[in-house]
Amino acid sequence: MTQTIQVPGLVQPAEILIDEWGIPHLYAESADDAFFVQGFNAARDRLFQIDLWRRRGLGLLAEAFGPDYVERDRAARLFLYRGDMAREWAAYGPDAERIARRFTAGINAYIGYVEENPDAMPPEFAMLGHRPDRWRPEDVVRIRSHGIAHNLLQEVARSDTGSSLGIAADVVRQHLKPRCQPHLAEGLDLHLPDDLLRVFELATQPLVFADDPRDPLGEGTLGEYAPDSRSAGRGHHASGEGSNNWVVAGTRTTTGRPILASDPHRSYATPSLRYIAHVSAPGLDVIGAGEPALPGVTLGHNGKVAFGFTIFPIDTQDLYVYELDPADPTRYRYAGDWERLRIVRETLAVKGESPRQADLAFTRHGPVIYVDAEQHKAYAVRSTWFEPGTAAYVGSLACLRAADAEEFRAALAGWGSPGENHVYADVAGSIGWTAAGLVPRRRGWDGLLPVPGDGRYEWDGFLPAEDLPQIVDPPEGFVATANQFNLSDDQPADRVPSYEWPDPARHQRIVEVLASQPAHALSDSMQLQVDQLSIAAREVTDLLDKIRVDDDPQVTAAVRLLRDWDAVESADSAAAALYEVWVSRHLMPGFVRAVLPPGAQDVVDDVDPHGLREALRDPARWWGAWGAEATERRDLLLTSTLRDAYAELVQLLGPDPSRWAWGDLHVNRQRHPLGHLDPSLDVGPMPVGGSGTTVNAGPYYSPDLVQTIGASFRMVLDVGAWDNSMAINTPGQSGDPRSPHYRDLAETWRRGDYVPLLYSRAAIEARTSVRLHLQPAADPP
C-alpha cells in the first residue's frame, strides 16, 4: 500500500517504509526533518498512549477526564522539573532542544492530520470523550515521574521494619552490598505515617482507568502493569525487577564480529512501553527501541556502534523529615533557624467544572509529600530528578552519532537518569561496559533511612563520571550485566552508588552460558535471552539431597519431583509450579517466622531471595543460637513448607502431578488502559514460564502468580552485518487497535522467537508492506 500525505511543517519530502512486522523506517533529507518525521510517526502508531503519557506526567488528567483526577494532577506537578531550562537543554547536548522542537512539531502535525481526517483518530479518544492535545518541546524533558528512581520506597520499608523489629531484622527483607549498618540519624523517629507515600504513588504509578475512577488508589486504577503497584504502598516490591545485556567480542563468536544482546525488563502493557523505529538522514542512521514519546532510540545501533543497557540501581532519592514551626506551619527548621516553605500556586483545569487552585509546597530539598499537622512534621523527597539533565533516557541523544566505542563512552559522561549499565560494541571490534548516571555524594551517611531536613544531611555534589565502574575489551572476551552487584567490596563509602541490588541469579546464569561457548552464535544469544534455567532453583533443590523425608507421603512425592528436575522453569513444567509456589508462598514466609519475632510477617512481607539461599546453605548463621540444632531447624523449615506447598498444588491443579504445569498458574497479561471497557483491547492472558531468577525473567506477585515485569522488547545485534540482527516487541508495534500490527507479534514473543531488524535500504525495500510519502505542505494560516 502506498499513501501520500501533505504535512505542514515538513521542509523536504520524506518517506516512511513500514516493514511486514510493523517496524517503521523513516527517511528524510535532514536531521531536522528526520526527528520531525519521527514525532509524526510516533503519533501515527501510538497517539493515545503518548497523549495519556503527557497528560499524566504534566498533571493534565482532570482537564480531559474530570474532577476525580485533580489529586493525581496535583501530585504529578510536584515532581516536574522546575529548574533553569537553558541548563536543562544544555545537559543533553547542543542540539537537544532543536531535536525536541522538531520531534514535538511532528507530533502536532499528526494531531492536525487526525483532526482533518477523523477516521484516523484512535478509537480510545471517542471512548473517553476527549481529544489529543498539542505538545511543547519542554514536555519531552520536564516530566520526571515516568522514570525509574531508587530508593524512596526502600527507605520507607526499612523504617517500617526498624520501628517494629529493629534495623537488624531488615536484612531478611533486603541484604546490603557492600555490607553496612544503616545510618540512623540522632533523634529520628522511624515510625512513619501510614499514608506517607500516597502522593508519591499518585505521581509515579501508571494510569489504568477503572470502572470507578473516584478511587485513584483502587485496584483497577493504579495499573496492573506497574511492577510494584499491588504492593508499593509501604515500599515492598513484588518479586524483583531488572534487565539483561551482554556483548561478546569477535574473538569468541562464530562470525568474528561482536554480538550484542539487550532485553530491558519493564511492566507489560498494550501497547508496550517500547517502540522500534529506524531514523535515517544525512549524518544520522539509527535503529532500535525507545519510548514512543521520546526522540531518538535508546537501545540499538547507528551503523558504527551498538548499544544496550540495564538498570544500575543508583540511590537517587532521599526522604527528609522536617520540624515545622507550631506557630507558623509554613516554616521548617533548618540550620538552627526557621526557613519558609516555597509555595507555588497552580491552576488545574477541570472538565465540566471551574478551574481549581493547587498550592504546591517545596522545601529547599524538594516537594512536600506529607504534612503531619498534629506532630508538626513535614516530609519531602529529594531526588536527582530535580537536577538538570535527568529526564529519563534523553541522555541517549548525545550518543546517536558516536563514531566508535571511545566516542560512545565519552557521550555517556553526561548521562543523567536513570542509572544504567551500558554495554557497547563498535564495528572495529571494541566492546565494553560503562555504568552511568547522576550519583549523589553522601558523606557520613548512606541514604538507607530517612534523615532530618535540618541541614545535617546534605548532598556533597555528585560523583564524577570517571568514578563509576567500567570495563573496556575484557580479557574474557565478553561482559554481561543483569543489575547485579558490580562494585568492589571495599568501595569507599562516599563513592557507593547503591547498597541495594537485585538477586544475582540471572547474571550468574548468563556468565555460566557465555563462558561455556568459545564460539558464540547469534542464535546462542537469542536462546540465552529466553533461557528459563534457574540457578536459584538449582541451589535450593540441591539441599533436598540432605534432608530426611521419613514416611510423609506428600514430602516424599514433592522431593522426588524436585530431585528429578533440571531446574528449567518452562511453562509446561510440573516441578517449576511446585518450586515457585513453595518458595514464594511457603518457604519465604516460613523463613520470616523462623528467624524473626512473632508477628514479623505482618511487617516483613518480602524476603531477599539471595539472602534466603545464603541462609539455607549456612543455617548456623541464622539458627546458630541452637548450636547443632541449626541444621535440623533448617531441614524442618524445608520439609514443613514443602509439605504445605505440595498440598496447595493438589488443591490448585489436582492430585496428579503429571498434569501440573507452571503456565497454568503463571500467566502474562498485557492490559490496555481501557480494557475494562472493551476486553478485546487486552492481550493475554498467556501461559508463561520463568521467574525472577531466570534470564527470561518472569517475576510475579505471589498472591496471584501473575507475571509483573519482563522483556517485552529483546534485540540481538550482529555488529557490522546489521541486517542479520533480530528483535521482538510484544504485543505489536502499533497502539491502534485497528492496525494489523496491534498484536501480531504477541505469539511470536510468547514462543521465544524474533523478527528481523533490517537496516540496509535494499533489505528494507524487499520487506516493505506500507509506503508513506510525506510531502511538505503550506502551514495553516
Side-chain angles (χ1 to χ4, degrees):
M1 185 188 87
T2 300
Q3 181 182 3
T4 300
I5 304 175
Q6 303 291 320
V7 184
L10 186 66
V11 177
Q12 294 176 283
E15 278 190 302
I16 302 175
L17 306 186
I18 303 167
D19 66 28
E20 59 191 82
W21 305 282
I23 298 172
H25 303 266
L26 319 174
Y27 296 96
E29 297 300 318
S30 69
D32 271 5
D33 268 0
F35 288 113
F36 177 94
V37 174
Q38 187 183 15
F40 184 89
N41 177 74
R44 179 192 64 82
D45 251 349
R46 299 288 189 94
L47 182 57
F48 175 73
Q49 181 188 32
I50 66 174
D51 181 76
L52 192 61
W53 185 92
R54 174 183 174 274
R55 288 184 181 279
R56 204 217 83 186
L58 292 176
L60 299 172
L61 292 170
E63 176 183 68
F65 309 125
D68 295 321
Y69 295 90
V70 166
E71 190 177 3
R72 283 196 77 134
D73 283 352
R74 180 188 178 280
R77 295 190 186 200
L78 284 169
F79 289 90
L80 291 172
Y81 176 74
R82 295 176 178 272
D84 180 79
M85 285 305 299
R87 290 183 61 203
E88 170 74 356
W89 288 121
Y92 307 112
D95 57 352
E97 182 178 10
R98 186 182 185 95
I99 289 171
R101 190 170 300 281
R102 291 299 289 161
F103 180 77
T104 53
I107 293 174
N108 294 338
Y110 189 78
I111 293 173
Y113 173 81
V114 296
E115 288 174 345
E116 294 182 3
N117 299 271
D119 289 346
M121 184 75 74
E124 294 97 329
F125 290 99
M127 293 172 70
L128 292 178
H130 73 296
R131 289 291 181 266
D133 201 4
R134 280 355 190 237
W135 287 57
R136 298 175 300 173
E138 55 267 32
D139 296 347
V140 172
V141 295
R142 288 194 68 218
I143 298 172
R144 300 298 213 240
S145 56
H146 289 290
I148 296 175
H150 306 84
N151 71 337
L152 177 68
L153 302 182
Q154 296 298 314
E155 287 186 25
V156 173
R158 185 167 291 107
S159 296
D160 285 351
T161 305
S163 65
S164 300
L165 306 170
I167 287 298
D170 194 63
V171 71
V172 172
R173 186 192 62 83
Q174 175 70 64
H175 273 214
L176 303 176
K177 295 198 73 174
R179 295 190 185 278
C180 75
Q181 176 67 32
H183 176 82
L184 177 59
E186 182 181 353
L188 186 73
D189 183 2
L190 290 180
H191 182 74
L192 301 175
D194 290 341
D195 53 349
L196 171 68
L197 291 174
R198 178 180 174 83
V199 168
F200 181 78
E201 290 170 359
L202 284 171
T204 57
Q205 291 295 300
L207 176 67
V208 174
F209 294 92
D211 293 312
D212 184 5
R214 291 170 295 181
D215 179 14
L217 282 177
E219 173 63 16
T221 306
L222 267 183
E224 314 295 343
Y225 64 103
D228 52 7
S229 64
R230 287 164 290 176
S231 56
R234 298 300 289 176
H236 307 301
H237 54 78
S239 63
E241 65 173 84
S243 305
N244 308 311
N245 63 24
W246 56 87
V247 59
V248 183
T251 56
R252 291 186 67 99
T253 68
T254 57
T255 64
R257 297 182 296 271
I259 292 173
L260 184 144
S262 190
D263 56 295
H265 303 167
R266 294 291 297 275
S267 317
Y268 286 100
T270 300
S272 72
L273 173 71
R274 307 292 179 189
Y275 183 70
I276 305 173
H278 180 189
V279 183
S280 185
L284 177 73
D285 197 8
V286 297
I287 187 170
E291 297 186 7
L294 301 179
V297 301
T298 57
L299 308 105
H301 71 83
N302 64 4
K304 299 174 182 177
V305 183
F307 41 89
F309 57 64
T310 68
I311 285 294
F312 180 66
I314 297 169
D315 180 355
T316 60
Q317 297 173 321
D318 283 306
L319 180 66
Y320 282 79
V321 186
Y322 306 85
E323 175 192 351
L324 295 178
D325 182 354
D328 183 356
T330 67
R331 302 197 306 171
Y332 62 96
R333 178 77 68 182
Y334 186 81
D337 203 351
W338 295 109
E339 189 164 304
R340 196 165 296 279
L341 293 169
R342 181 169 65 94
I343 306 297
V344 176
R345 174 162 290 187
E346 296 205 347
T347 300
L348 304 179
V350 181
K351 182 179 181 179
E353 295 187 4
S354 300
R356 299 190 187 183
Q357 300 299 313
D359 287 342
L360 311 178
F362 299 85
T363 70
R364 61 167 47 225
H365 301 119
V368 174
I369 61 169
Y370 190 88
V371 173
D372 186 338
E374 184 176 329
Q375 298 297 322
H376 308 295
K377 290 182 179 179
Y379 299 82
V381 177
R382 187 170 194 179
S383 175
T384 57
W385 277 345
F386 310 125
E387 300 294 327
T390 58
Y393 306 112
V394 181
S396 297
L397 294 177
C399 305
L400 296 182
R401 295 182 176 88
D404 54 29
E406 184 177 0
E407 286 190 10
F408 183 78
R409 287 194 301 271
L412 290 178
W415 182 278
S417 178
E420 299 285 6
N421 293 294
H422 296 267
V423 297
Y424 56 85
D426 66 18
V427 293
S430 182
I431 70 169
W433 154 65
T434 298
L438 196 61
V439 182
R441 189 192 295 272
R442 302 172 178 89
R443 296 190 186 273
W445 58 296
D446 48 41
L448 292 169
L449 287 167
V451 292
D454 56 13
R456 288 180 286 159
Y457 295 94
E458 296 296 340
W459 291 354
D460 185 18
F462 303 93
L463 291 187
E466 57 267 23
D467 282 0
L468 294 179
Q470 65 172 317
I471 294 174
V472 178
D473 294 323
E476 299 85 357
F478 67 87
V479 63
T481 80
N483 321 105
Q484 81 284 0
F485 175 71
N486 49 20
L487 308 174
S488 63
D489 286 319
D490 59 353
Q491 187 90 352
D494 66 343
R495 285 189 285 168
V496 174
S498 176
Y499 291 92
E500 299 167 323
W501 306 82
D503 193 317
R506 285 181 292 108
H507 178 255
Q508 291 167 352
R509 175 58 178 165
I510 294 167
V511 171
E512 176 181 81
V513 172
L514 293 180
S516 71
Q517 296 174 333
H520 183 83
L522 212 67
S523 58
D524 292 324
S525 270
M526 289 185 279
Q527 184 175 349
L528 182 52
Q529 283 187 331
V530 297
D531 183 271
Q532 294 178 335
L533 188 149
S534 171
I535 281 184
R538 195 166 64 191
E539 290 179 4
V540 174
T541 55
D542 281 348
L543 295 171
L544 299 180
D545 290 334
K546 303 176 182 180
I547 67 172
R548 296 185 321 185
V549 297
D550 296 324
D551 296 325
D552 189 314
Q554 289 192 317
V555 176
T556 300
V559 168
R560 183 184 303 115
L561 181 60
L562 294 178
R563 278 178 176 167
D564 294 339
W565 180 41
D566 59 5
V568 175
E569 300 197 271
S570 57
D572 61 358
S573 171
L578 174 60
Y579 174 81
E580 289 298 335
V581 168
W582 173 37
V583 171
S584 65
R585 291 187 172 182
H586 299 277
L587 183 57
M588 284 185 171
F591 180 65
V592 171
R593 292 191 299 270
V595 302
L596 294 180
Q601 62 269 26
D602 296 332
V603 179
V604 181
D605 62 357
D606 204 5
V607 174
D608 185 307
H610 186 230
L612 171 65
R613 298 197 301 278
E614 287 185 350
L616 295 176
R617 288 194 304 268
D618 183 14
R621 181 180 172 198
W622 289 95
W623 290 278
W626 286 275
E629 295 180 20
T631 299
E632 293 180 16
R633 287 181 174 268
R634 186 272 314 274
D635 292 350
L636 177 62
L637 172 66
L638 292 174
T639 54
S640 63
T641 56
L642 187 53
R643 179 189 304 110
D644 292 343
Y646 191 92
E648 183 178 5
L649 260 291
V650 169
Q651 292 295 318
L652 292 172
L653 299 176
D656 183 0
S658 68
R659 300 177 67 87
W660 295 354
W662 177 218
D664 287 344
L665 300 173
H666 184 230
V667 298
N668 175 283
R669 292 175 179 152
Q670 299 170 25
R671 290 185 169 172
H672 188 282
L674 302 185
H676 70 290
L677 297 177
D678 182 355
S680 71
L681 296 174
D682 292 340
V683 174
M686 296 176 277
V688 290
S691 69
T693 60
T694 56
V695 179
N696 186 358
Y700 55 86
Y701 184 57
S702 60
D704 62 14
L705 304 175
V706 173
Q707 184 176 10
T708 52
I709 62 171
S712 59
F713 167 77
R714 299 184 180 106
M715 70 175 186
V716 177
L717 305 179
D718 187 348
V719 177
W722 303 111
D723 285 339
N724 297 333
S725 301
M726 306 293 285
I728 191 65
N729 187 33
T730 186
Q733 279 282 97
S734 180
D736 191 326
R738 301 165 300 185
S739 168
H741 300 299
Y742 180 73
R743 65 176 80 229
D744 59 322
L745 299 180
E747 177 59 20
T748 303
W749 169 87
R750 190 196 66 78
R751 292 195 310 265
D753 291 338
Y754 295 72
V755 301
L757 187 65
L758 303 177
Y759 186 63
S760 71
R761 184 69 182 253
I764 292 160
E765 290 278 2
R767 306 306 288 266
T768 292
S769 59
V770 175
R771 186 183 304 268
L772 302 179
H773 295 291
L774 306 186
Q775 295 290 334
D779 292 335

